[in-house]
Amino acid sequence: MDYRWEKLKRKLEEKNLDAFLITSRVDIFYFSGVWVEGAALFTPHRKFILTSPMYREETEKIKNRWEIAIYKNTLENTLKKIAELIKIKRCGFEQNSLTFAGYKRIKENFSSELVPCDFVGKIRSVKEKEEIEFIKKAAKITLSAFDYLRGILHTGIREKDVARECINYILKEADDLAFDPIVLFGERTSLPHGAPTERKLKKGDLVTIDIGARVKGYCADITRTFVWGSPPSKTWEERLKLLESVKRKAIERIKPGVKSSEIHKIVKEELTRKGYAENFLHGTGHGVGLEVHEEPFIKQKSNASLKDGMVITVEPGIYFSGEGGARLEDTILVTSKGGKILP
């Protein structure tokens, strides 16, 4: 984990910061390797974990590398004492994870200047070899879950039944779910993030399944849409072929240096050309890692450029209220040779 600290130290130097405060549980894990509530405080020469007595035992495993501050009253009071002790003047914080209420509490107890920053997500967006291996394993389990779920589909099975089977399968093979399964039938496939219901499967229904496994904290995110029990209508056959073609074109453009907005533009323009501009309701994708949605975001207003080692999704979708929808999504590794579908 020390090499991650080195990356953060360089950012402190760039921003002329004496210290940096992290309050996100995910970010604390990324830098420390332990899942705790509280905060992590970094300086160029020291690093602290501030947490409650509930996590004392958990922090034992890192006490040779971190200074552990177990607070009895509040995090803010403990943070104030440390800041005064080591004379922090300018302290950065991760603006995308600290709530406004949390900011106010810290500000009231903290005489140092607080500087909003957004670079932790950018550091996390480029994956190391071990992280990529965890995501690959999660993607492999996710794809095997699709095979299992296709095999149990039958007339009359409910969306909830398939979601439950998915949960049970993934939890047997992986450490956890990346997110709650999305399982939708028929007209309900028009809901991009609909929750499973009592809706029963009928012959000829569209089926959308969006699922992901989690391995060692790292997520996969894959979606499939297909017609069950009979060939699709000509209209839906054309729409599904279009989404597959659009997805392939977007993946072919993936390589280091390409703007993520350019990937989105390819998808948007293709769908617009076919008359589906109003039916494409979301961005083209997002980063995947310790969180299922993280940087970089593949959307029109993103300024991010793709880098070797990033893991992203590409997920074109079109939706028609009352009729149904379709989304096709893969988890992609950005490499020097282009985009590689995982696993």
Side-chain angles (χ1 to χ4, degrees), residues 120-134:
V120 170
K122 293 176 176 58
I123 292 173
R124 278 178 41 201
S125 70
V126 178
K127 272 55 180 183
E128 298 147 10
K129 185 177 180 180
E130 185 179 50
E131 294 178 289
I132 292 168
E133 289 304 313
F134 292 150

Side-chain angles (χ1 to χ4, degrees), residues 179-194:
F179 53 92
D180 291 337
I182 297 171
V183 179
L184 304 168
F185 299 156
E187 73 289 341
R188 300 195 71 253
T189 55
S190 67
L191 304 171
H193 281 177

Side-chain angles (χ1 to χ4, degrees), residues 128-240:
E128 298 147 10
K129 185 177 180 180
E130 185 179 50
E131 294 178 289
I132 292 168
E133 289 304 313
F134 292 150
I135 297 171
K136 281 183 179 179
K137 187 172 181 180
K140 185 176 182 179
I141 293 169
T142 303
L143 288 177
S144 69
F146 276 108
D147 292 337
Y148 171 74
L149 295 176
R150 279 179 176 267
I152 66 166
L153 292 179
H154 60 81
T155 300
I157 195 170
R158 301 174 303 172
E159 294 170 343
K160 280 186 174 181
D161 298 329
V162 179
R164 188 174 297 113
E165 289 285 345
C166 175
I167 292 169
N168 291 338
Y169 183 91
I170 288 178
L171 290 180
K172 282 191 293 185
E173 302 293 328
D175 296 326
D176 202 352
L177 301 166
F179 53 92
D180 291 337
I182 297 171
V183 179
L184 304 168
F185 299 156
E187 73 289 341
R188 300 195 71 253
T189 55
S190 67
L191 304 171
H193 281 177
T197 67
E198 304 286 334
R199 170 66 157 83
K200 294 181 179 180
L201 182 62
K202 297 182 290 188
K203 188 176 181 179
D205 270 344
L206 284 163
V207 176
T208 292
I209 301 176
D210 183 348
I211 58 177
R214 188 186 295 266
V215 172
K216 303 295 183 183
Y218 288 85
C219 304
D221 187 6
I222 300 172
T223 306
R224 298 289 184 261
T225 299
F226 54 91
V227 176
W228 184 81
S230 65
S233 67
K234 184 177 180 181
T235 297
W236 276 107
E237 181 180 16
E238 290 175 351
R239 288 170 176 172
L240 289 169

Side-chain angles (χ1 to χ4, degrees), residues 1-2 4-8 20 22 26-34 40 42 47 65-66 120 123-124:
M1 301 290 176
D2 286 343
R4 296 177 182 175
W5 186 30
E6 291 300 322
K7 292 180 184 178
L8 192 57
F20 190 77
I22 288 175
V26 172
D27 290 339
I28 294 170
F29 172 79
Y30 179 78
F31 287 103
S32 71
V34 294
F42 297 84
K47 49 188 180 180
R65 296 182 289 114
W66 289 73
V120 170
I123 292 173
R124 278 178 41 201

Side-chain angles (χ1 to χ4, degrees), residues 247-261:
K247 178 164 68 79
R248 184 176 63 252
K249 288 180 181 178
I251 293 171
E252 287 173 351
R253 186 69 186 97
I254 291 173
K255 65 178 181 180
V258 173
K259 293 277 189 183
S260 61
S261 57

